[in-house]
Amino acid sequence: MDQSISWITVGSVEDIPRQGSRVVRTDFGDIALFRTVADEVYALEDRCPHAGGPLSQGIVHGARVTCPLHSWVIDLASGEAVGPDEGCAGHCPVRVVDGAVQLGLAAFRPGRGGCGHG
Amino acid sequence: MSTHTNPSTPRERLVVVGNGMAGIRTLEELLAKAPDRYDITVFGVEPHPNYNRIMLSPVLAGEKTFEQIVLNGRDWYETNGINLLTGDRVEVIDRANRTVTAMSGLTVPYDKLLIATGSTPFIIPVPGSTLPGVVGFRDLADVDTMLEAAARGGRAVVIGGGLLGLEAANGLKVKGMDVTVLHLMDTLMERQLDRSAGALLRHELERRGIAVLTGADTAEIVGNEKVSAVRLKNGQELPADLVVMAVGIRPNTALGKAAGLACGRGIQVDDTMTTSDPAILSVGECVEHRGQTYGLVAPLFEMAKVAAAQLAGGTEAAYTGSVTSTKLKVTGVDVFSAGDFTGGKDCEDIVFRDAARGVYKRVVVKENRILGAVLYGDTKDGGWYFQMLKDGTEVAPVRDTLIFGQSFGGEGAANPKAAVAALPDSAEICGCNGVCKGTIVTAITEKGLSNLDEVRAHTKASASCGSCTGQVEQLLALTLGDGYAGEAKAKPMCKCTDRTHDEVRRAITALDLKSIPDVMQRLEWRTPDGCHHCRPALNYYLLCEWPGEYKDDSRSRYINERVHANIQKDGTYSVVPRMWGGLTSAKELRAIADVVDKFAIPTVKVTGGQRIDLFGVKKEDLPAVWADLNAAGMVSGHAYAKGLRTVKTCVGSEWCRFGTQDSTGLGVKLERMTWGTWTPHKVKLAVSGCPRNCAEATIKDLGVVCVDSGYELHVGGNGGMHVRACDLLVKVETEAEVLEYTGAYMQLYREEARYLERTAPWLERVGLDHIKRRLVDDAEGRAALNARFLFSQSFSQDDPWAERASGSVDRHEFAPLAQVG
């Protein structure tokens, strides 16, 4: 792990429903934390690159989430839209230490928009 | 005594504290490298020589005797000149004088000390945890206690559904006790298994008669002089004559701590297994290395190797941590897991399911190397995967067949058609209906069958669960050669499966499938947990098939149905309270107005379904908004649901000079009967009081048009993109008949339509005649359908808003996890 990042504990893995999501409010806007069926935790900006839909409200399957507004599928690890759609949701480093979920907010990387329709 | 190579030089003294697997393995390794370097003394608390602790489970189950699991008998210690002191506990280490003193008073000096004190079961600190009848599962004494209890019969509760707990549970069950396993998490062995494998394991244990309670949090162990029951935090009480605690282990650090050695969760060691005192080494479960502690045997042996090299005077060997694998030692249950199988960035899941054999395999690959594996039912390739995992073997060359295992290969297996051709006539193709290859081939030739449906009709092969469909198709191709045109393929449900909606539904019924993981396993899903297409569909099919029994999976619902409001483009929600038959009152309107003011709701609109929509409600305000609406007697309008939306009415004979019947009253009755139901897609009803049809009843899923002599029932209409006017189903004379037909029609739609198929396309697909045959011509069938509808309604008419406004359901949905910055 990058030692230069300062990590902020925001809750525990158990606080996030499996195959679900919780939101953390930050200065960068809302960050959506996802917990997959395999208990992996990911953090993305809570904004679909397509039309800004709240990804935290989508269905989580495998390591992906489907946006609730127009069913874009976003890869949780990279924030990239799954083809043929193009765009990338903002991404935030996250790690789990002894069940505590920690965000590396300083290393937040903003997203880039998609096709812009809808 | 062994011979000394140089008797004139006094040998160094090595004292080993702990006669378990780690300590003694270190000695074995050391004796192989430097047989004469040390005078060795071993202290063991247990009164036995060194035995294989991981084989205690088979001893409990009666599959092995203690003698069979002894690793080194007393003669081994003698032969190697080791002074073994059993039944004595080292209490003090005097580091300044380099001596240890035992409980017996015996003091032994050392030049090197090896601490291998292992671990003890963690006993959860609840009231009653020290009562007689509460045991851990760690040593032979525990096994003896369990065997004594089992000999008396009665009930055992095992707390902890991990590796040890399940092995204990199985052993006690084999010995004739009634066994219940309590597990805090919702998946058994959740550290080793994913949800699919955990579900299979649970089924197998339940099949063996072991009760499993997940999400079970122990509050108290009840009993006066000995244990009599276990009470859970939810109040449930389970009678128990024996309680086995198997929730985890704690490294035994007391001795090291008292001696002032650096300790964290375990006694801290560096890569040479040396503690903070250079004269003292430590190995095994008592150790903490690079922040990790271990409870499995393989790492202990790796540590032992390094410690032995160190003691032998070497400096090369270093322990860098272990990748672990686990196997459950329950006879007939094959479970294997290794490495990191959680998946993640750039990881690829390769899933293989063979429902007929009860096999589930998942291998996680990252950058062409195996990262982890979970195997259930067929673990023979566990070692192969684990070796490649540890070696970082490039798997690209075998990537395509990796999941089939090491022995995969050869023409027969790679070519399914050749494989089927090679089967004898007596080979069973369809397990559900017991149909052999010969029977199918004979039917094809003698009856001139040319496609799958005909084979199904004549032989029943592949007509139940459908898992042999592929093989039946191969048989058609083999038998008919070029005469087989193949099957007109219906569209599969989604990319996770080749099966169609209808096939999946048929299998749910035929195979008694009762959960989403069950369906995915038995029908051989290609993904670990489906996708946004199949999960909501499966959730609906299961809910429809098993009313009152299937537990709704909120994680498989679209957001609107999960939070019972409609998401809008800006992420806010809209809220629509139910207005029965379109009726409202001053009290309701006042409450709505107050809610709008109180929560600064920006837009209020009257809907096409005769109710009021509140737009722009913030998600975290939803429970409070609902609470206020509930207080005025209003409930959810399900404006977000694949379910009953509205029953639109006109005023009818109560006020209208043309009205022929009480259309508003009938609308209210219909809405009271049908609200809360889940259906394949949304359902809208309407009742018009006369043929002028002001309620637009003939473009609804079901519309009632009142006439002087009774009621016309129209079905299969909708507005929207493709407007379709209803077809007339039947004309009836009484309100009671309207209600019965409505219930029966709703249920037929629920049972037959595919998920997300509205009544209009459903009707066009199956034909109006089919619906008339089921509802109009068959009075008995109609009554049965209606009865099934009403039965399912008895479980679905709880206001979802009230459940959430009170905070008792899904509280986490409506609050952010944290606020930072």
Short mmCIF file of all heavy atoms in Angstrom, two decimals, chain A residues 10 15 17-20 22-27 33 37-38 40 42 54 57-62 66 68-69 73 77 105, chain B residues 186-187 195 342-345 529-532 535 555 557 559 562 567 569 573 619-620 812 815-821:
data_model
loop_
_atom_site.label_atom_id
_atom_site.label_comp_id
_atom_site.label_asym_id
_atom_site.label_seq_id
_atom_site.Cartn_x
_atom_site.Cartn_y
_atom_site.Cartn_z
N VAL A 10 -14.09 4.83 7.84
CA VAL A 10 -15.46 5.35 7.68
C VAL A 10 -16.52 4.38 8.19
O VAL A 10 -17.71 4.72 8.23
CB VAL A 10 -15.75 5.69 6.20
CG1 VAL A 10 -14.91 6.86 5.75
CG2 VAL A 10 -15.51 4.49 5.30
N ASP A 15 -21.11 -3.00 8.03
CA ASP A 15 -22.10 -1.92 7.87
C ASP A 15 -22.65 -1.86 6.44
O ASP A 15 -23.67 -1.23 6.19
CB ASP A 15 -21.46 -0.55 8.18
CG ASP A 15 -21.10 -0.41 9.65
OD1 ASP A 15 -21.77 -1.06 10.47
OD2 ASP A 15 -20.15 0.34 9.96
N PRO A 17 -24.27 -3.73 3.33
CA PRO A 17 -24.91 -5.01 3.02
C PRO A 17 -24.15 -5.73 1.91
O PRO A 17 -23.68 -5.08 0.97
CB PRO A 17 -26.33 -4.65 2.57
CG PRO A 17 -26.36 -3.18 2.41
CD PRO A 17 -25.14 -2.59 3.03
N ARG A 18 -24.04 -7.04 2.02
CA ARG A 18 -23.39 -7.82 0.96
C ARG A 18 -24.21 -7.64 -0.32
O ARG A 18 -25.44 -7.59 -0.27
CB ARG A 18 -23.33 -9.28 1.36
CG ARG A 18 -22.58 -10.15 0.38
CD ARG A 18 -22.45 -11.56 0.89
NE ARG A 18 -21.41 -11.66 1.89
CZ ARG A 18 -21.45 -12.48 2.92
NH1 ARG A 18 -22.49 -13.24 3.11
NH2 ARG A 18 -20.47 -12.54 3.78
N GLN A 19 -23.56 -7.51 -1.47
CA GLN A 19 -24.20 -7.18 -2.75
C GLN A 19 -24.92 -5.83 -2.64
O GLN A 19 -25.94 -5.62 -3.27
CB GLN A 19 -25.21 -8.24 -3.18
CG GLN A 19 -24.59 -9.60 -3.46
CD GLN A 19 -25.64 -10.66 -3.76
OE1 GLN A 19 -26.52 -10.90 -2.95
NE2 GLN A 19 -25.54 -11.29 -4.92
N GLY A 20 -24.40 -4.94 -1.79
CA GLY A 20 -25.06 -3.66 -1.61
C GLY A 20 -24.05 -2.54 -1.50
O GLY A 20 -22.87 -2.70 -1.81
N ARG A 22 -23.17 1.56 0.53
CA ARG A 22 -23.47 2.66 1.44
C ARG A 22 -22.75 3.92 0.94
O ARG A 22 -21.73 3.83 0.27
CB ARG A 22 -22.99 2.34 2.87
CG ARG A 22 -23.69 1.18 3.55
CD ARG A 22 -25.14 1.47 3.89
NE ARG A 22 -25.33 2.56 4.83
CZ ARG A 22 -25.29 2.43 6.15
NH1 ARG A 22 -25.04 1.25 6.69
NH2 ARG A 22 -25.50 3.46 6.96
N VAL A 23 -23.27 5.04 1.35
CA VAL A 23 -22.71 6.31 0.88
C VAL A 23 -21.92 6.98 1.99
O VAL A 23 -22.31 6.96 3.15
CB VAL A 23 -23.85 7.25 0.41
CG1 VAL A 23 -23.33 8.65 0.17
CG2 VAL A 23 -24.50 6.70 -0.85
N VAL A 24 -20.77 7.58 1.61
CA VAL A 24 -20.01 8.42 2.54
C VAL A 24 -20.00 9.83 1.96
O VAL A 24 -19.64 10.02 0.80
CB VAL A 24 -18.56 7.90 2.70
CG1 VAL A 24 -17.76 8.84 3.60
CG2 VAL A 24 -18.57 6.49 3.27
N ARG A 25 -20.42 10.78 2.76
CA ARG A 25 -20.44 12.17 2.30
C ARG A 25 -19.05 12.78 2.51
O ARG A 25 -18.50 12.69 3.61
CB ARG A 25 -21.46 12.97 3.08
CG ARG A 25 -22.86 12.37 3.03
CD ARG A 25 -23.88 13.45 2.71
NE ARG A 25 -25.25 12.94 2.87
CZ ARG A 25 -25.88 12.20 1.97
NH1 ARG A 25 -25.27 11.85 0.84
NH2 ARG A 25 -27.12 11.80 2.19
N THR A 26 -18.47 13.38 1.46
CA THR A 26 -17.13 13.95 1.59
C THR A 26 -17.08 15.28 0.87
O THR A 26 -18.01 15.67 0.16
CB THR A 26 -16.05 13.04 0.93
OG1 THR A 26 -16.11 13.23 -0.49
CG2 THR A 26 -16.29 11.57 1.25
N ASP A 27 -15.95 15.97 1.02
CA ASP A 27 -15.76 17.24 0.32
C ASP A 27 -15.71 17.06 -1.20
O ASP A 27 -15.89 17.99 -1.96
CB ASP A 27 -14.45 17.90 0.80
CG ASP A 27 -14.55 18.30 2.26
OD1 ASP A 27 -15.70 18.38 2.77
OD2 ASP A 27 -13.51 18.50 2.91
N LEU A 33 -19.60 3.23 -1.35
CA LEU A 33 -18.81 2.04 -0.99
C LEU A 33 -19.63 0.81 -1.38
O LEU A 33 -20.81 0.74 -1.06
CB LEU A 33 -18.57 2.00 0.51
CG LEU A 33 -17.58 3.01 1.07
CD1 LEU A 33 -17.60 2.93 2.59
CD2 LEU A 33 -16.20 2.72 0.54
N VAL A 37 -20.47 -9.87 -3.44
CA VAL A 37 -20.89 -11.15 -2.88
C VAL A 37 -19.69 -11.86 -2.25
O VAL A 37 -19.83 -12.64 -1.33
CB VAL A 37 -21.56 -12.03 -3.96
CG1 VAL A 37 -20.53 -12.53 -4.96
CG2 VAL A 37 -22.32 -13.19 -3.35
N ALA A 38 -18.50 -11.52 -2.74
CA ALA A 38 -17.30 -12.14 -2.19
C ALA A 38 -16.66 -11.28 -1.11
O ALA A 38 -15.52 -11.49 -0.73
CB ALA A 38 -16.29 -12.39 -3.32
N GLU A 40 -15.58 -8.26 -1.20
CA GLU A 40 -14.62 -7.24 -1.60
C GLU A 40 -15.28 -5.88 -1.43
O GLU A 40 -16.47 -5.74 -1.66
CB GLU A 40 -14.25 -7.42 -3.07
CG GLU A 40 -13.15 -8.41 -3.33
CD GLU A 40 -11.79 -7.76 -3.27
OE1 GLU A 40 -11.66 -6.61 -3.72
OE2 GLU A 40 -10.86 -8.38 -2.74
N TYR A 42 -15.22 -1.82 -2.57
CA TYR A 42 -14.75 -0.85 -3.56
C TYR A 42 -15.35 0.52 -3.27
O TYR A 42 -16.41 0.61 -2.64
CB TYR A 42 -15.17 -1.26 -4.97
CG TYR A 42 -14.57 -2.57 -5.44
CD1 TYR A 42 -15.31 -3.74 -5.38
CD2 TYR A 42 -13.28 -2.61 -5.94
CE1 TYR A 42 -14.75 -4.94 -5.81
CE2 TYR A 42 -12.73 -3.79 -6.38
CZ TYR A 42 -13.46 -4.96 -6.31
OH TYR A 42 -12.93 -6.13 -6.74
N PRO A 54 -27.04 7.93 -9.23
CA PRO A 54 -26.36 7.47 -8.01
C PRO A 54 -26.07 5.97 -8.06
O PRO A 54 -26.96 5.16 -7.88
CB PRO A 54 -27.36 7.82 -6.91
CG PRO A 54 -28.70 7.84 -7.58
CD PRO A 54 -28.46 8.22 -9.02
N GLN A 57 -27.20 3.18 -5.64
CA GLN A 57 -28.55 2.64 -5.62
C GLN A 57 -28.74 1.48 -6.60
O GLN A 57 -29.83 0.97 -6.77
CB GLN A 57 -29.56 3.75 -5.98
CG GLN A 57 -29.33 5.07 -5.25
CD GLN A 57 -29.57 4.96 -3.77
OE1 GLN A 57 -30.68 4.74 -3.33
NE2 GLN A 57 -28.50 5.06 -2.99
N GLY A 58 -27.64 1.08 -7.25
CA GLY A 58 -27.76 0.05 -8.29
C GLY A 58 -27.69 -1.36 -7.75
O GLY A 58 -27.45 -1.58 -6.56
N ILE A 59 -27.89 -2.33 -8.64
CA ILE A 59 -27.75 -3.74 -8.28
C ILE A 59 -26.28 -4.13 -8.45
O ILE A 59 -25.68 -3.90 -9.48
CB ILE A 59 -28.66 -4.62 -9.16
CG1 ILE A 59 -30.13 -4.39 -8.78
CG2 ILE A 59 -28.29 -6.10 -9.02
CD1 ILE A 59 -31.12 -5.21 -9.57
N VAL A 60 -25.70 -4.70 -7.39
CA VAL A 60 -24.30 -5.12 -7.40
C VAL A 60 -24.25 -6.59 -7.79
O VAL A 60 -24.92 -7.43 -7.19
CB VAL A 60 -23.67 -4.91 -6.00
CG1 VAL A 60 -22.23 -5.41 -6.00
CG2 VAL A 60 -23.74 -3.45 -5.60
N HIS A 61 -23.47 -6.90 -8.82
CA HIS A 61 -23.34 -8.30 -9.27
C HIS A 61 -21.91 -8.53 -9.68
O HIS A 61 -21.34 -7.73 -10.41
CB HIS A 61 -24.30 -8.60 -10.43
CG HIS A 61 -24.28 -7.57 -11.53
ND1 HIS A 61 -23.56 -7.75 -12.68
CD2 HIS A 61 -24.87 -6.35 -11.62
CE1 HIS A 61 -23.73 -6.68 -13.47
NE2 HIS A 61 -24.52 -5.82 -12.85
N GLY A 62 -21.32 -9.63 -9.18
CA GLY A 62 -19.89 -9.83 -9.39
C GLY A 62 -19.17 -8.59 -8.88
O GLY A 62 -19.52 -8.05 -7.82
N THR A 66 -24.89 -1.98 -11.66
CA THR A 66 -25.73 -1.47 -12.74
C THR A 66 -26.39 -0.19 -12.26
O THR A 66 -27.07 -0.18 -11.24
CB THR A 66 -26.79 -2.51 -13.12
OG1 THR A 66 -26.13 -3.70 -13.55
CG2 THR A 66 -27.67 -2.00 -14.26
N PRO A 68 -28.91 2.69 -11.60
CA PRO A 68 -30.37 2.60 -11.51
C PRO A 68 -31.11 3.44 -12.55
O PRO A 68 -32.28 3.18 -12.81
CB PRO A 68 -30.67 3.13 -10.10
CG PRO A 68 -29.52 3.99 -9.76
CD PRO A 68 -28.32 3.38 -10.44
N LEU A 69 -30.43 4.41 -13.16
CA LEU A 69 -31.18 5.27 -14.08
C LEU A 69 -31.32 4.68 -15.49
O LEU A 69 -32.42 4.58 -16.01
CB LEU A 69 -30.53 6.66 -14.17
CG LEU A 69 -30.61 7.52 -12.90
CD1 LEU A 69 -30.23 8.96 -13.21
CD2 LEU A 69 -31.99 7.48 -12.25
N VAL A 73 -23.54 -0.43 -16.97
CA VAL A 73 -22.85 -1.33 -16.05
C VAL A 73 -21.43 -0.79 -15.82
O VAL A 73 -20.71 -0.54 -16.77
CB VAL A 73 -22.81 -2.76 -16.61
CG1 VAL A 73 -22.05 -3.69 -15.68
CG2 VAL A 73 -24.24 -3.27 -16.81
N ALA A 77 -13.90 -2.02 -9.78
CA ALA A 77 -12.48 -1.84 -9.50
C ALA A 77 -11.91 -0.62 -10.22
O ALA A 77 -11.12 0.12 -9.67
CB ALA A 77 -11.72 -3.09 -9.89
N LEU A 105 -8.85 9.34 0.71
CA LEU A 105 -9.55 10.41 -0.02
C LEU A 105 -8.61 11.34 -0.76
O LEU A 105 -8.94 11.87 -1.83
CB LEU A 105 -10.40 11.24 0.95
CG LEU A 105 -11.82 10.72 1.18
CD1 LEU A 105 -12.50 11.55 2.24
CD2 LEU A 105 -12.60 10.78 -0.13
N ASP B 186 -23.91 -15.13 7.87
CA ASP B 186 -24.97 -15.80 7.12
C ASP B 186 -24.44 -16.89 6.19
O ASP B 186 -25.22 -17.59 5.58
CB ASP B 186 -25.85 -14.79 6.36
CG ASP B 186 -25.04 -13.92 5.44
OD1 ASP B 186 -23.84 -14.19 5.31
OD2 ASP B 186 -25.60 -12.98 4.87
N THR B 187 -23.13 -17.05 6.10
CA THR B 187 -22.56 -18.14 5.30
C THR B 187 -21.68 -18.99 6.20
O THR B 187 -20.84 -18.45 6.92
CB THR B 187 -21.70 -17.57 4.15
OG1 THR B 187 -22.53 -16.75 3.34
CG2 THR B 187 -21.10 -18.68 3.32
N ARG B 195 -20.41 -17.73 -1.10
CA ARG B 195 -21.79 -17.97 -0.73
C ARG B 195 -22.37 -19.22 -1.40
O ARG B 195 -23.12 -19.97 -0.79
CB ARG B 195 -22.66 -16.75 -1.06
CG ARG B 195 -23.72 -16.53 -0.01
CD ARG B 195 -24.14 -15.08 0.09
NE ARG B 195 -24.77 -14.59 -1.10
CZ ARG B 195 -26.01 -14.08 -1.14
NH1 ARG B 195 -26.75 -14.09 -0.07
NH2 ARG B 195 -26.48 -13.58 -2.24
N THR B 342 -11.77 -13.82 -3.21
CA THR B 342 -12.77 -12.75 -3.18
C THR B 342 -12.89 -12.06 -4.53
O THR B 342 -13.87 -11.40 -4.79
CB THR B 342 -12.42 -11.70 -2.11
OG1 THR B 342 -11.06 -11.34 -2.27
CG2 THR B 342 -12.62 -12.26 -0.73
N GLY B 343 -11.88 -12.23 -5.39
CA GLY B 343 -11.94 -11.54 -6.68
C GLY B 343 -11.55 -10.09 -6.50
O GLY B 343 -11.12 -9.69 -5.41
N GLY B 344 -11.68 -9.30 -7.54
CA GLY B 344 -11.32 -7.90 -7.39
C GLY B 344 -10.80 -7.35 -8.70
O GLY B 344 -11.07 -7.90 -9.77
N LYS B 345 -10.03 -6.29 -8.60
CA LYS B 345 -9.58 -5.58 -9.79
C LYS B 345 -8.86 -6.53 -10.74
O LYS B 345 -7.96 -7.26 -10.33
CB LYS B 345 -8.64 -4.45 -9.35
CG LYS B 345 -8.29 -3.49 -10.46
CD LYS B 345 -7.47 -2.34 -9.87
CE LYS B 345 -6.72 -1.58 -10.94
NZ LYS B 345 -7.55 -0.89 -11.91
N ASP B 529 -22.70 -14.60 -9.01
CA ASP B 529 -23.97 -14.18 -8.41
C ASP B 529 -24.88 -13.47 -9.40
O ASP B 529 -25.62 -12.56 -9.04
CB ASP B 529 -23.74 -13.33 -7.15
CG ASP B 529 -23.04 -12.01 -7.46
OD1 ASP B 529 -22.34 -11.93 -8.48
OD2 ASP B 529 -23.17 -11.07 -6.66
N GLY B 530 -24.83 -13.91 -10.66
CA GLY B 530 -25.81 -13.41 -11.63
C GLY B 530 -25.56 -11.98 -12.05
O GLY B 530 -24.46 -11.47 -11.93
N CYS B 531 -26.61 -11.34 -12.55
CA CYS B 531 -26.48 -9.97 -13.03
C CYS B 531 -27.80 -9.25 -12.79
O CYS B 531 -28.73 -9.81 -12.23
CB CYS B 531 -26.13 -9.96 -14.52
SG CYS B 531 -27.48 -10.51 -15.57
N HIS B 532 -27.87 -7.97 -13.25
CA HIS B 532 -29.07 -7.20 -12.98
C HIS B 532 -30.25 -7.66 -13.81
O HIS B 532 -31.37 -7.20 -13.60
CB HIS B 532 -28.80 -5.71 -13.17
CG HIS B 532 -28.49 -5.32 -14.59
ND1 HIS B 532 -27.24 -5.48 -15.15
CD2 HIS B 532 -29.27 -4.79 -15.55
CE1 HIS B 532 -27.27 -5.05 -16.41
NE2 HIS B 532 -28.49 -4.63 -16.68
N ARG B 535 -31.11 -11.67 -11.65
CA ARG B 535 -31.39 -11.71 -10.21
C ARG B 535 -32.81 -11.25 -9.87
O ARG B 535 -33.52 -11.93 -9.13
CB ARG B 535 -30.35 -10.92 -9.43
CG ARG B 535 -29.01 -11.66 -9.28
CD ARG B 535 -28.57 -11.79 -7.84
NE ARG B 535 -28.54 -10.53 -7.13
CZ ARG B 535 -27.49 -9.70 -7.14
NH1 ARG B 535 -26.39 -10.01 -7.79
NH2 ARG B 535 -27.55 -8.57 -6.47
N ARG B 555 -31.41 -7.48 -2.18
CA ARG B 555 -30.25 -7.13 -3.02
C ARG B 555 -30.49 -7.51 -4.47
O ARG B 555 -29.69 -7.18 -5.33
CB ARG B 555 -28.97 -7.82 -2.53
CG ARG B 555 -28.62 -7.70 -1.08
CD ARG B 555 -28.77 -6.36 -0.43
NE ARG B 555 -28.38 -5.21 -1.20
CZ ARG B 555 -28.54 -3.95 -0.80
NH1 ARG B 555 -29.10 -3.69 0.37
NH2 ARG B 555 -28.17 -2.96 -1.56
N ARG B 557 -33.34 -6.71 -6.02
CA ARG B 557 -34.45 -5.88 -6.49
C ARG B 557 -33.92 -4.56 -7.03
O ARG B 557 -32.92 -4.04 -6.55
CB ARG B 557 -35.42 -5.59 -5.34
CG ARG B 557 -36.31 -6.80 -5.04
CD ARG B 557 -37.47 -6.34 -4.19
NE ARG B 557 -38.40 -7.43 -3.92
CZ ARG B 557 -39.42 -7.75 -4.71
NH1 ARG B 557 -39.65 -7.09 -5.82
NH2 ARG B 557 -40.21 -8.74 -4.38
N ILE B 559 -33.76 -0.61 -7.43
CA ILE B 559 -33.77 0.33 -6.32
C ILE B 559 -35.18 0.74 -5.91
O ILE B 559 -35.50 0.85 -4.74
CB ILE B 559 -32.90 1.57 -6.67
CG1 ILE B 559 -32.84 2.53 -5.49
CG2 ILE B 559 -33.39 2.28 -7.92
CD1 ILE B 559 -32.20 1.96 -4.26
N ARG B 562 -36.61 -1.74 -3.82
CA ARG B 562 -35.85 -1.95 -2.60
C ARG B 562 -36.17 -0.88 -1.57
O ARG B 562 -36.27 -1.16 -0.39
CB ARG B 562 -34.35 -1.94 -2.93
CG ARG B 562 -33.49 -2.59 -1.88
CD ARG B 562 -32.00 -2.46 -2.16
NE ARG B 562 -31.66 -2.64 -3.55
CZ ARG B 562 -30.74 -1.91 -4.18
NH1 ARG B 562 -30.09 -0.96 -3.55
NH2 ARG B 562 -30.48 -2.12 -5.45
N ILE B 567 -37.05 6.40 -7.99
CA ILE B 567 -35.86 7.24 -8.15
C ILE B 567 -36.07 8.19 -9.33
O ILE B 567 -36.67 7.83 -10.35
CB ILE B 567 -34.59 6.38 -8.33
CG1 ILE B 567 -33.34 7.22 -8.11
CG2 ILE B 567 -34.58 5.69 -9.69
CD1 ILE B 567 -32.08 6.40 -7.92
N LYS B 569 -34.30 11.54 -11.86
CA LYS B 569 -33.04 11.74 -12.58
C LYS B 569 -31.95 12.39 -11.72
O LYS B 569 -30.77 12.20 -11.97
CB LYS B 569 -33.25 12.54 -13.87
CG LYS B 569 -33.83 13.92 -13.65
CD LYS B 569 -34.12 14.61 -14.98
CE LYS B 569 -32.87 15.15 -15.61
NZ LYS B 569 -33.18 15.93 -16.84
N TYR B 573 -36.28 11.08 -4.78
CA TYR B 573 -37.34 10.09 -4.97
C TYR B 573 -38.71 10.74 -5.04
O TYR B 573 -38.91 11.87 -4.56
CB TYR B 573 -37.30 9.07 -3.83
CG TYR B 573 -36.11 8.16 -3.97
CD1 TYR B 573 -34.85 8.56 -3.54
CD2 TYR B 573 -36.23 6.93 -4.60
CE1 TYR B 573 -33.74 7.75 -3.71
CE2 TYR B 573 -35.12 6.11 -4.78
CZ TYR B 573 -33.89 6.52 -4.33
OH TYR B 573 -32.81 5.72 -4.52
N LYS B 619 -33.64 11.04 -0.13
CA LYS B 619 -33.73 9.65 0.31
C LYS B 619 -33.78 9.53 1.83
O LYS B 619 -34.56 8.76 2.39
CB LYS B 619 -32.54 8.86 -0.23
CG LYS B 619 -32.74 7.36 -0.11
CD LYS B 619 -31.52 6.61 -0.59
CE LYS B 619 -31.78 5.12 -0.59
NZ LYS B 619 -30.54 4.35 -0.77
N GLU B 620 -32.94 10.32 2.50
CA GLU B 620 -32.90 10.17 3.97
C GLU B 620 -34.18 10.67 4.64
O GLU B 620 -34.45 10.36 5.78
CB GLU B 620 -31.65 10.83 4.57
CG GLU B 620 -31.43 12.29 4.18
CD GLU B 620 -30.51 12.40 2.96
OE1 GLU B 620 -30.63 11.59 2.03
OE2 GLU B 620 -29.69 13.34 2.94
N HIS B 812 -30.37 0.74 7.17
CA HIS B 812 -29.15 1.18 6.52
C HIS B 812 -29.38 1.81 5.15
O HIS B 812 -28.54 2.55 4.65
CB HIS B 812 -28.19 0.01 6.37
CG HIS B 812 -28.76 -1.10 5.53
ND1 HIS B 812 -28.75 -1.07 4.16
CD2 HIS B 812 -29.43 -2.23 5.88
CE1 HIS B 812 -29.36 -2.14 3.70
NE2 HIS B 812 -29.77 -2.87 4.72
N ALA B 815 -29.63 5.98 5.41
CA ALA B 815 -28.70 6.87 6.09
C ALA B 815 -27.32 6.70 5.49
O ALA B 815 -26.92 5.59 5.15
CB ALA B 815 -28.66 6.54 7.58
N PRO B 816 -26.58 7.81 5.33
CA PRO B 816 -25.20 7.65 4.86
C PRO B 816 -24.39 6.91 5.92
O PRO B 816 -24.72 6.93 7.10
CB PRO B 816 -24.70 9.09 4.69
CG PRO B 816 -25.64 9.94 5.46
CD PRO B 816 -26.93 9.21 5.57
N LEU B 817 -23.33 6.23 5.46
CA LEU B 817 -22.49 5.48 6.39
C LEU B 817 -21.69 6.43 7.26
O LEU B 817 -21.52 6.23 8.44
CB LEU B 817 -21.54 4.58 5.58
CG LEU B 817 -20.51 3.78 6.35
CD1 LEU B 817 -21.20 2.80 7.29
CD2 LEU B 817 -19.60 3.05 5.40
N ALA B 818 -21.19 7.50 6.63
CA ALA B 818 -20.33 8.42 7.38
C ALA B 818 -20.28 9.75 6.65
O ALA B 818 -20.65 9.86 5.48
CB ALA B 818 -18.92 7.85 7.51
N GLN B 819 -19.79 10.75 7.37
CA GLN B 819 -19.56 12.08 6.80
C GLN B 819 -18.13 12.40 7.13
O GLN B 819 -17.75 12.36 8.30
CB GLN B 819 -20.52 13.06 7.47
CG GLN B 819 -20.27 14.51 7.13
CD GLN B 819 -21.45 15.09 6.35
OE1 GLN B 819 -22.58 14.67 6.55
NE2 GLN B 819 -21.17 16.04 5.49
N VAL B 820 -17.29 12.66 6.12
CA VAL B 820 -15.91 13.02 6.44
C VAL B 820 -15.58 14.35 5.79
O VAL B 820 -16.14 14.71 4.77
CB VAL B 820 -14.91 11.92 5.97
CG1 VAL B 820 -15.13 10.64 6.74
CG2 VAL B 820 -15.02 11.68 4.49
N GLY B 821 -14.63 15.05 6.39
CA GLY B 821 -14.19 16.33 5.84
C GLY B 821 -15.15 17.44 6.18
O GLY B 821 -16.14 17.27 6.87
#
